[in-house]
Amino acid sequence: MMSIKMSQKKIFLVLLVICTVSFLLHNGGHFNWSMEAFHLRCSTLRSQITPGLKPKHTNIVFLKTHKTASTTMQNMLFRFAERNNLTMALPKPNCGHQFCYPQLFSSHFVHPHTLPPNMITSHMRFNKTALQRLMPNDTIYITILREPASMFESLFTYYSRHSGSFRRVPNGSLEAFLADPLRYYRPEEADSMYARNTLTFDLGGNKDRTATDVTYAQAFVAEVEKVFSLVMISEYFDESLVLLSHLLSWDLDDIVYVKLNMRTESSKKSLSPSLPAKIRTWNSIDAYLYDYFNASLWVKLSALGLDCVAKEVYLLRLAQERLTKSCFGGQMPVPRSASEIRNKDLRPWQPSEKVGIIGYDLPLNISHEAKELCLKYIMPEITYTQKLLHSQLLRHRQSFQNRTPQKSNIPQQSIRTTPPRHSQVHRTQPPPSNAQGSASTTKSKFTLNQGTGTSKSGPKSSNTSVL
Ligand SMILES: *[C@@H]1O[C@H](CO)[C@@H](O)[C@H](O)[C@H]1NC(C)=O
Ligand SMILES: *[C@@H]1O[C@H](CO)[C@@H](O)[C@H](O)[C@H]1NC(C)=O
Ligand SMILES: *[C@@H]1O[C@H](CO)[C@@H](O)[C@H](O)[C@H]1NC(C)=O
Ligand SMILES: *[C@@H]1O[C@H](CO)[C@@H](O)[C@H](O)[C@H]1NC(C)=O
Ligand SMILES: *[C@@H]1O[C@H](CO)[C@@H](O)[C@H](O)[C@H]1NC(C)=O
Ligand SMILES: *[C@@H]1O[C@H](CO)[C@@H](O)[C@H](O)[C@H]1NC(C)=O
Ligand SMILES: *[C@@H]1O[C@H](CO)[C@@H](O)[C@H](O)[C@H]1NC(C)=O
């Protein structure tokens, strides 16, 4: 018995050595990265272990808040919806590219040819009742918050020309505004929501409760927590994405992104030491929300295991680096101001001449296949919304045409297309068009397998995550 066991052990060891050697030989240039990835695998990282075990969740409300990295999230969801032929509810033309914000959301704001939806993510003011009626009943609700001081500085600069409360401030001085906010702020004015408790307002709450009204803030937080399964935090964006991918059973490739809608460095201001406290007092409900959900984010991260989270963040950054290199000719992309971007579709919206919003251009010599893919990662919000609406309208028309001629002899039910069996994506509703198989992974494989030589430069910052 003993000897049999021993020889089994030996055979196993010999096999292990052979495997390791051939692994090393085959991965020469990638040795460092491969070995690291090998050790860094979390038992829970879906794509690395057993793809396709649990279907990806596809019914999602992402409440897009202002100035919180939510544009990057929206871009990610748009891409996911496109890859998987999902229906994204989009605004009617007379609502612009938002759902008639700042009005409270109503299903009347949704373009009828983008119904019934799997996802919804364009700017809106949250109305739970209306959304619950519109969306499938297994919809997961997600949103994102940002630290109030840096957020307010960003709002103040971005909306300096749009919000009356900010326009009235002498010299456009944030210090002057915070010295006496009530002198400039008019709660009933259009665009006043950019000047106080913007997060609370976007979430459907009352932005004008006073700083001392802690009961309101507590009740509001409880309500938000009941509806939203995940409240992401901009300061810990990658960590939040790890939680998101676990919550939705999404792959690493599904959460790779390029940062969008950032300001040029010159239009950012650093805050003098006394300002953050003043900003928090002025935006006290937002501050309460933020502290609460930042704490609960870290509770969730700890539950997953901080080591595990750090490893997945590291893998995400590696994947991201490879993507950007493969899209931008082997280097990291150079952020450009709008006027420097050749492709007009890639120019982000500029709120005023004082604020530069950064965008990207693609190299001229990029291959057609790569261009198709890479464009989507850097496409500004308004351009992408229009493109997505266009493709969904086409699909809607096609499915309508496919249905009508057969009406006479085939019962309605059998004409409905069922989701492809081998697709990893789980739907609760029939897809609106003839979905024919899972193309969802072929494209994204390209993003992760392209590019070489990332191993040497290593991760951008494996230690930046605050653990
Ligand atoms: C929210 O939506 C529901 C359902 O559409 C509607 O009845 C309600 O009036 C809305 N709430 C507000 C405050 O507009
Ligand atoms: C969701 O709706 C379907 C029918 O539309 C129903 O059969 C199912 O029980 C509902 N699920 C939940 C969790 O309410
Ligand atoms: C605005 O700027 C001008 C010139 O920089 C200065 O003289 C003036 O005092 C400023 N006003 C306020 C209210 O800060
Ligand atoms: C978020 O919460 C963590 C854990 O409690 C804390 O260490 C960190 O300072 C908080 N971040 C901010 C920006 O408040
Ligand atoms: C495109 O041009 C850049 C230099 O301008 C070069 O580094 C890169 O390899 C080229 N890419 C392709 C796909 O030819
Ligand atoms: C999406 O639809 C297109 C065109 O109808 C089809 O070719 C593709 O295979 C579908 N992809 C998925 C993931 O269902
Ligand atoms: C492996 O990568 C790390 C950083 O990720 C680097 O410090 C180290 O020198 C690399 N080792 C080799 C053998 O390339």
Side-chain angles (χ1 to χ4, degrees):
M1 260 326 243
M2 273 298 272
S3 68
I4 291 174
K5 248 190 192 163
M6 284 303 284
S7 64
Q8 275 179 341
K9 225 179 207 173
K10 264 184 205 158
I11 289 170
F12 176 75
L13 282 175
V14 168
L15 279 175
L16 190 71
V17 168
I18 291 172
C19 284
T20 311
V21 167
S22 82
F23 178 82
L24 293 182
L25 286 176
H26 280 95
N27 288 278
H30 282 284
F31 165 65
N32 208 355
W33 135 249
S34 304
M35 276 319 269
E36 278 179 59
F38 202 68
H39 287 300
L40 287 174
R41 263 175 217 174
C42 274
S43 60
T44 40
L45 188 65
R46 187 188 125 97
S47 59
Q48 303 285 321
I49 307 288
T50 41
L53 250 194
K54 205 174 160 208
K56 296 183 189 182
H57 198 88
T58 56
N59 295 330
I60 298 163
V61 169
F62 176 74
L63 179 74
K64 190 176 188 297
T65 47
H66 283 85
K67 317 278 13 111
T68 52
S70 63
T71 304
T72 302
M73 273 305 294
Q74 181 188 45
N75 178 278
M76 188 182 292
L77 295 172
F78 277 6
R79 281 184 282 112
F80 186 90
E82 263 194 320
R83 273 205 310 279
N84 296 291
N85 293 340
L86 302 171
T87 304
M88 177 70 72
L90 293 171
K92 288 200 300 201
N94 61 346
C95 278
H97 68 286
Q98 314 182 334
F99 289 106
C100 284
Y101 184 88
Q103 292 180 63
L104 268 161
F105 178 78
S106 152
S107 56
H108 300 304
F109 301 157
V110 182
H111 196 299
H113 292 179
T114 62
L115 296 171
N118 299 102
M119 295 188 183
I120 189 164
T121 166
S122 302
H123 271 306
M124 67 166 76
R125 185 165 184 220
F126 192 70
N127 175 343
K128 185 177 84 172
T129 318
L131 280 162
Q132 283 178 341
R133 275 187 209 158
L134 176 73
M135 300 299 292
N137 60 5
D138 68 343
T139 297
I140 288 183
Y141 289 74
I142 298 159
T143 189
I144 185 165
L145 307 179
R146 177 173 170 190
E147 194 281 313
S150 76
M151 173 159 173
F152 196 74
E153 185 273 321
S154 178
L155 285 164
F156 189 82
T157 316
Y158 201 82
Y159 295 108
S160 57
R161 297 290 160 88
H162 295 267
S163 181
S165 306
F166 294 155
R167 265 202 315 265
R168 275 185 283 275
V169 182
N171 293 352
S173 153
L174 179 57
E175 284 79 359
F177 179 86
L178 289 168
D180 191 4
L182 289 171
R183 198 164 145 196
Y184 312 105
Y185 176 72
R186 309 275 185 279
E188 68 294 339
E189 224 172 44
D191 289 351
S192 66
M193 66 281 173
Y194 299 130
R196 189 179 203 186
N197 289 314
T198 309
L199 294 171
T200 301
F201 181 85
D202 286 354
L203 282 159
N206 183 343
K207 64 184 167 50
D208 292 307
R209 290 297 183 118
T210 58
T212 49
D213 198 348
V214 178
T215 329
Y216 177 77
Q218 282 169 343
F220 187 63
V221 158
E223 213 173 289
V224 171
E225 191 169 40
K226 236 190 303 175
V227 175
F228 290 87
S229 305
L230 176 63
V231 176
M232 301 170 64
I233 298 289
S234 302
E235 281 71 27
Y236 311 107
F237 191 65
D238 289 350
E239 288 81 0
S240 298
L241 281 178
V242 168
L243 286 178
L244 181 88
S245 72
H246 284 264
L247 177 66
L248 303 176
S249 305
W250 283 16
D251 289 338
L252 183 63
D253 351 7
D254 295 322
I255 57 170
V256 173
Y257 66 93
V258 175
K259 238 182 221 160
L260 294 172
N261 207 26
M262 296 181 301
R263 281 178 291 165
T264 51
E265 284 304 321
S266 61
S267 46
K268 287 182 195 169
K269 288 182 193 119
S270 60
L271 294 176
S272 65
S274 67
L275 291 191
K278 285 182 183 162
I279 292 175
R280 287 179 65 94
T281 307
W282 174 242
N283 298 279
S284 62
I285 314 171
D286 275 13
Y288 192 91
L289 268 177
Y290 180 82
D291 290 345
Y292 184 89
F293 286 107
N294 178 41
S296 80
L297 180 90
W298 284 95
V299 169
K300 285 181 178 164
L301 290 170
S302 304
L304 198 57
L306 294 184
D307 280 354
C308 171
V309 171
K311 286 165 191 172
E312 296 197 9
V313 165
Y314 172 81
L315 291 178
L316 172 62
R317 289 178 183 163
L318 279 180
Q320 196 171 19
E321 196 176 304
R322 263 174 301 153
L323 167 80
T324 35
K325 284 189 174 172
S326 73
C327 283
F328 298 97
Q331 299 138 32
M332 297 305 280
V334 184
R336 295 179 196 284
S337 63
S339 58
E340 294 171 327
I341 298 174
R342 289 183 305 264
N343 184 341
K344 280 205 183 94
D345 283 347
L346 293 179
R347 289 181 190 162
W349 181 71
Q350 303 293 312
S352 80
E353 66 273 21
K354 281 201 314 190
V355 187
I357 298 297
I358 291 168
Y360 301 102
D361 225 342
L362 287 174
L364 286 169
N365 59 357
I366 192 168
S367 75
H368 182 71
E369 189 201 17
K371 188 174 172 183
E372 282 291 290
L373 173 86
C374 298
L375 264 180
K376 299 287 165 64
Y377 282 86
I378 57 175
M379 199 173 274
E381 175 177 2
I382 298 176
T383 316
Y384 207 158
T385 303
Q386 287 161 351
K387 280 211 171 356
L388 198 55
L389 181 61
H390 182 72
S391 66
Q392 289 191 170
L393 294 186
L394 277 181
R395 202 169 59 180
H396 181 85
R397 200 181 309 151
Q398 274 164 6
S399 70
F400 186 74
Q401 280 168 350
N402 289 348
R403 241 192 313 255
T404 33
Q406 297 166 321
K407 218 172 207 165
S408 50
N409 43 20
I410 303 179
Q412 192 66 22
Q413 205 114 55
S414 65
I415 300 167
R416 292 185 129 194
T417 321
T418 45
R421 290 225 175 274
H422 51 291
S423 166
Q424 287 181 16
V425 175
H426 159 81
R427 296 166 215 266
T428 52
Q429 298 171 351
S433 69
N434 302 351
Q436 256 148 28
S438 169
S440 65
T441 44
T442 34
K443 266 189 181 174
S444 44
K445 275 212 183 91
F446 167 80
T447 73
L448 294 178
N449 296 341
Q450 288 291 308
T452 50
T454 49
S455 52
K456 286 188 199 86
S457 48
K460 256 176 291 172
S461 49
S462 46
N463 343 334
T464 46
S465 56
V466 182
L467 296 179

